[in-house]
Amino acid sequence: MAETNKPADQRELRGFLRYLRLQRSLSPNTLDAYQRDVEKLLRFLDGEGKRPAEAELADLQTFAAQLHDIGIGPRSQCRILSGVRAFYRYLVTDGYIEQDPTELLESPVLGEHLPEFLTPDEVDRLEDSIDLSKPEGHRNRAIIEVLFSCGLRVSELVSLKWSQLYAKERYLRILGKGSKERLVPISERALKEIENYLVWRNELKIKPGEEDYVFLNRRGAHLTRTMILIMLKQQADEAGIRKTISPHTLRHSFATALLEGGADLRVIQALLGHESIGTTEIYTHISVQTLRREVLDHHPRNIKNTVKNTVNNPDK
C-alpha cells in the first residue's frame, strides 16, 4: 500500500513547495529546509502505511516523539513541526483534506536561548589574528568587518555583488529573506578593508558569471556559507576566543553593539531585516552585567546613594 501512494505524496509535496515559492516568495535555502522537514514526515507515514491525508493527531504525536527519541534537539524539533504544520495548512487550503490534524499538535517547550556575541574588542582580536601575508588575508578581514559592521546574514554576504555596494553613499542594498530589499549603512572601516582586499582580488582569474560577486575564493568563484564558517572557527581559535563562533555570531554582535550604544530597537529591526520585533529582542541580548551597570549609574535611587556615600566617605 505504501509503495503505490508514494507518487501521490510527492505530488502533494511538490505542490506545497510551489505554493511556498510563488505565494510566500521564500528563499531557496528556506524551501530546502521545508522539503527536508516534510520528507521526514512522509518517510514516517510511509512506514505506518498511511498517506498524509490519512494521518491523525495521534500519528503526528508519535512522529514528534520519534524525533525526540532519535536525538533531535528541541529547537530542531520545533522547526520540523513548524514545517509539518505549514504542509497541512496547505493541504487544507488546496482541498486535499477538510480538517487540519496539526491544530492540537504541541511543540516542545524551549528555554530562553541567548546566542553568543563578541564585544568590539573581541572582533578586533579576531581581525588582528589574521595573517595578512597569506593571499586571502585581506579578504578574510574584509569579511569579518562587513559581517560585524553591517549585520548581514551569511547568505547575504556570500551573494553580495558590486552592483549592491554604493561606496560613495556608504550603504548596501541587500535582498533578504522573502526577496525583501533593505538598505544597510556600511562603515568607512569596512569599505577600507574591502579596498585592501581588492589588491588580491584584481589578480584572480575570475570564472565567467562570477565577476559581480564581491567575495571570491582562490579559484575565482564566489564563496559558500560553509567556507565562511570554517574560516571564522579557525580564526577564533588562532585569536584565542573560546566562544562558539559562526557568521551568525557577528550578526548578533552587530545588533548587541547597536543596542548597547543606545540605538532604538525598531531601527535595529529594520537593519537586520526582521519581520517581527520579537525576533529582534532575542538577537539583541544585553549582558546582565551591562543591565546592572546601567541601573546603578542612571536610576535616581542609586544616584542619590552614590552622592550620599561620597559625602559621608570623601576618601572613597
Side-chain angles (χ1 to χ4, degrees), residues 130-140 200 218 238:
I130 294 173
D131 184 354
L132 296 180
S133 67
K134 292 183 177 179
E136 66 275 15
H138 283 292
R139 181 203 65 188
N140 292 348
W200 175 68
R218 294 187 184 192
E238 291 183 23

Side-chain angles (χ1 to χ4, degrees), residues 9-274:
D9 295 348
Q10 290 300 318
R11 185 171 61 249
E12 292 167 5
L13 176 57
R14 286 195 299 271
F16 172 56
L17 296 173
R18 184 167 55 250
Y19 160 77
L20 294 176
R21 185 175 64 254
L22 298 178
Q23 299 295 321
R24 295 180 57 182
S25 301
L26 298 182
S27 70
N29 290 331
T30 305
L31 289 173
D32 287 344
Y34 272 111
Q35 180 172 348
R36 289 193 300 270
D37 294 341
V38 175
E39 284 176 343
K40 287 183 177 68
L41 172 70
L42 295 182
R43 285 193 295 270
F44 166 78
L45 292 176
D46 185 48
E48 299 292 309
K50 287 191 173 185
R51 293 199 56 214
E54 300 168 341
E56 300 176 350
L57 175 61
D59 298 312
L60 300 177
Q61 288 173 331
T62 302
F63 170 68
Q66 196 174 86
L67 296 176
H68 172 77
D69 291 343
I70 63 176
I72 295 177
R75 193 164 298 277
S76 295
Q77 290 177 44
C78 286
R79 193 207 67 240
I80 293 168
L81 295 179
S82 175
V84 168
R85 290 189 187 91
F87 177 57
Y88 274 99
R89 284 196 295 270
Y90 160 75
L91 293 182
V92 172
T93 302
D94 231 44
Y96 286 100
I97 57 176
E98 294 183 1
Q99 186 70 32
D100 183 356
T102 68
E103 286 182 348
L104 299 178
L105 181 64
E106 295 183 354
S107 292
V109 178
L110 295 176
E112 185 180 21
H113 175 66
L114 299 172
E116 293 273 23
F117 68 94
L118 299 179
T119 65
D121 285 344
E122 287 174 321
V123 175
D124 287 341
R125 279 170 53 197
L126 199 61
E127 293 180 355
D128 291 343
S129 68
I130 294 173
D131 184 354
L132 296 180
S133 67
K134 292 183 177 179
E136 66 275 15
H138 283 292
R139 181 203 65 188
N140 292 348
R141 272 185 72 111
I143 286 171
I144 292 172
E145 189 57 39
V146 170
L147 285 171
F148 178 61
S149 294
C150 303
L152 303 186
R153 298 178 177 94
V154 65
S155 58
E156 295 166 348
L157 180 96
V158 297
S159 62
L160 183 65
K161 298 180 178 179
W162 293 112
S163 53
Q164 297 173 257
L165 172 58
Y166 298 81
K168 185 178 179 181
E169 294 82 4
R170 290 175 56 176
Y171 73 85
L172 303 176
R173 179 171 51 82
I174 299 299
L175 197 64
K177 285 187 174 181
S179 299
K180 292 185 178 178
E181 190 175 273
R182 71 185 191 278
L183 300 179
V184 179
I186 182 169
S187 69
E188 192 67 42
R189 179 166 171 176
L191 288 171
K192 183 64 177 176
E193 296 294 351
I194 290 174
E195 183 181 334
N196 293 337
Y197 150 63
L198 275 176
V199 176
W200 175 68
R201 188 189 186 278
N202 290 339
E203 296 176 354
L204 294 175
K205 183 178 180 180
I206 301 175
K207 290 186 175 182
E210 303 283 285
E211 296 87 355
D212 198 25
Y213 287 98
V214 174
F215 294 109
L216 303 176
N217 60 28
R218 294 187 184 192
R219 296 179 298 279
H222 69 277
L223 299 172
T224 65
R225 294 182 296 171
T226 302
M227 290 176 183
I228 304 291
L229 176 62
I230 292 171
M231 180 273 288
L232 284 175
K233 286 185 176 296
Q234 290 176 343
Q235 214 55 59
D237 187 56
E238 291 183 23
I241 296 173
R242 302 298 170 227
K243 296 177 179 178
T244 302
I245 302 296
S246 72
H248 197 76
T249 308
L250 289 167
R251 178 168 160 84
H252 182 55
S253 304
F254 162 83
T256 304
L258 281 176
L259 193 64
E260 291 192 340
D264 184 86
L265 201 59
R266 292 288 179 184
V267 172
I268 299 172
Q269 178 188 4
L271 291 172
L272 292 173
H274 288 161

